[in-house]
Amino acid sequence: MSVKSESDDVSNKPQLACKTVLVTGGAGFIGSHLILLLAARYPLWRIINVDSLNYCSSLKNLIYLENTSTYKFIQGDVCDQYFIDHIFSTENINIVFHCAAQSHVENSFLYPSQFMHVNAAGTTLLLQAAFESGVEKFIYMSTDEVYGDSLDKYFDESSPKRPTNPYSTSKAAAENSVMSYWKNHKFPVVIARSSNVYGPRQYHEKVIPRFLFLLQQDQKCTIQGTGLQSRHFLYVDDVTEALLILMKRGIIGEIYNIAANFEIAIIQLARDLVKMVKTASNDKLDDWILFVDDRPVSDLRYPMISDKMHKLGWKPKVPWEEGIRRTIKWYEENKSYWPVVTEKEPQGC
């Protein structure tokens, strides 16, 4: 398990005053990696993990912290006002990382009201409780999808939000709530918009772990539409490093793009993973690819500029070749970590 970066090694640096940090969705993919990094970087801080333990979350992601006195897991729903009010009234929380969300785009077309309820209304409820308790900093984890599609123009933080699906619409609505607390109450908020994140322990609804699971079971990679849509992929350690930098140096009331340098078309991603996983196969690459119906709306790409993050001292450090090697290795060694996936289940990207 690697949770430190060379540029931010704190072994010989004085720690900040002890804090209590709340991470919502902390048993999920990004949230669990963030908690492990916080625990390694700030071993004296208290970390509260609130998660409803939905299908894509697992306490196995945090097994290393099970017997750690500074870590506490509380199962609960961010949409439960009584529960959230109780957390803030009893835990003396200083910093909030709000990572909890419904994030599967395909499901958002089926259950749009549920996504709006969890992602937008739940965020507003959490904001109010954090505001009333005097939280020092509230960091909201958003997505590049709020910008909508672009073939050539790169988005910066001032670009208009033009979400095209129920998931990104709910995230954009949540951002509006976050910024309203800054504008109306000067509540110290920061918004992070990230490119697609990948790495070990990600649930197989996302495209990279889905392709890997299917190939491990000798099934074909299912590609929606033409597969020409491309995504920018960012290794999870780079994202959690960015979030800690925003905790320490992010300017309140600001939005920051956490953008990947690496972009690849989904069909090329599938072919590359076939090469890496099916090295002994004599089949042609496309023999392992199955084209399926596209989603109702499919954006081609979400290119972003990260100049604001670069000024804070952050840049991606894990190149694609290294990140995907680590990811493939983890899934090869943990084939039964998540339930079995089939070709018929949709992937998200």
Side-chain angles (χ1 to χ4, degrees):
M1 178 183 66
S2 175
V3 293
K4 290 189 178 182
S5 74
E6 295 178 1
S7 62
D8 207 10
D9 187 354
V10 296
S11 58
N12 296 314
K13 298 178 183 178
Q15 286 207 35
L16 301 176
C18 289
K19 305 284 186 182
T20 298
V21 182
L22 170 66
V23 180
T24 68
F29 173 52
I30 296 174
S32 62
H33 281 271
L34 174 61
I35 286 175
L36 290 171
L37 181 60
L38 281 165
R41 198 67 54 80
Y42 304 104
L44 301 181
W45 287 18
R46 293 181 66 237
I47 303 172
I48 310 295
N49 172 14
V50 167
D51 198 295
S52 64
L53 294 184
N54 206 339
Y55 67 94
C56 56
S57 300
S58 174
L59 291 180
K60 290 190 294 185
N61 292 337
L62 294 156
I63 195 169
Y64 304 102
L65 299 180
E66 276 187 352
N67 299 315
T68 305
S69 61
T70 53
Y71 167 74
K72 183 177 183 180
F73 169 69
I74 307 173
Q75 185 171 357
D77 187 347
V78 295
C79 296
D80 183 337
Q81 182 171 351
Y82 176 81
F83 169 73
I84 292 299
D85 288 345
H86 178 73
I87 294 292
F88 280 95
S89 66
T90 58
E91 296 294 347
N92 193 28
I93 293 164
N94 303 111
I95 299 166
V96 175
F97 288 95
H98 183 28
C99 302
Q102 292 280 346
S103 63
H104 193 2
V105 176
E106 269 66 37
N107 286 344
S108 77
F109 288 105
L110 299 174
Y111 314 107
S113 60
Q114 179 182 339
F115 274 66
M116 189 61 72
H117 176 64
V118 173
N119 296 351
T123 297
T124 302
L125 190 154
L126 192 71
L127 280 162
Q128 183 63 27
F131 167 66
E132 291 176 353
S133 69
V135 162
E136 299 170 15
K137 205 163 196 177
F138 186 104
I139 300 160
Y140 178 64
M141 187 70 191
S142 190
T143 172
D144 55 4
E145 292 197 38
V146 299
Y147 291 119
D149 196 7
S150 177
L151 293 178
D152 48 14
K153 180 183 177 182
Y154 277 70
F155 300 117
D156 63 24
E157 292 83 355
S158 65
S159 299
K161 290 183 288 190
R162 292 171 177 158
T164 60
N165 59 64
Y167 161 66
S168 56
T169 298
S170 69
K171 296 293 281 186
E175 283 194 12
N176 291 342
S177 291
V178 173
M179 292 308 296
S180 74
Y181 272 77
W182 163 243
K183 293 175 181 177
N184 296 326
H185 308 294
K186 296 305 174 187
F187 182 54
V189 302
V190 175
I191 293 175
R193 294 172 178 161
S194 174
S195 298
N196 282 52
V197 188
Y198 75 100
R201 303 197 302 276
Q202 189 174 32
Y203 187 71
H204 54 57
E205 68 183 7
K206 301 302 183 183
V207 64
I208 290 177
R210 175 176 171 74
F211 284 174
L212 292 177
F213 265 75
L214 289 171
L215 291 172
Q216 286 174 354
Q217 298 166 47
D218 291 328
Q219 298 184 59
K220 297 180 180 182
C221 298
T222 52
I223 295 181
Q224 296 170 318
T226 64
L228 297 180
Q229 64 271 33
S230 65
R231 294 295 180 262
H232 293 76
F233 286 102
L234 191 61
Y235 192 67
V236 64
D237 287 0
D238 284 325
V239 177
T240 55
E241 286 287 348
L243 291 174
L244 288 203
I245 287 174
L246 291 179
M247 177 188 72
K248 292 182 287 185
R249 299 197 288 274
I251 299 171
I252 58 175
E254 292 290 325
I255 300 169
Y256 292 88
N257 289 342
I258 305 174
N261 298 325
F262 178 79
E263 180 178 13
I264 188 171
I266 299 304
I267 189 168
Q268 187 60 48
L269 170 67
R271 288 167 176 160
D272 287 355
L273 293 181
V274 170
K275 286 181 188 177
M276 297 176 196
V277 175
K278 293 296 181 181
T279 54
S281 173
N282 293 320
D283 298 335
K284 295 179 180 179
L285 295 181
D286 286 358
D287 289 340
W288 289 97
I289 293 174
L290 175 66
F291 290 94
V292 298
D293 292 340
D294 206 351
R295 63 176 63 159
V297 179
S298 184
D299 296 332
L300 285 177
R301 58 197 300 265
Y302 308 108
M304 294 194 301
I305 297 171
S306 277
D307 290 351
K308 287 175 68 173
M309 282 302 305
H310 297 168
K311 290 177 181 177
L312 295 182
W314 176 88
K315 287 187 178 180
K317 290 184 171 60
V318 182
W320 167 255
E321 294 78 10
E322 174 62 18
I324 197 63
R325 184 194 65 78
R326 294 182 197 174
T327 303
I328 290 172
K329 183 175 185 293
W330 186 88
Y331 283 99
E332 287 177 345
E333 295 174 351
N334 296 272
K335 293 181 179 180
S336 61
Y337 196 86
W338 296 110
V340 173
V341 62
T342 67
E343 291 178 348
K344 294 181 180 180
E345 295 180 34
Q347 94 268 347
C349 64

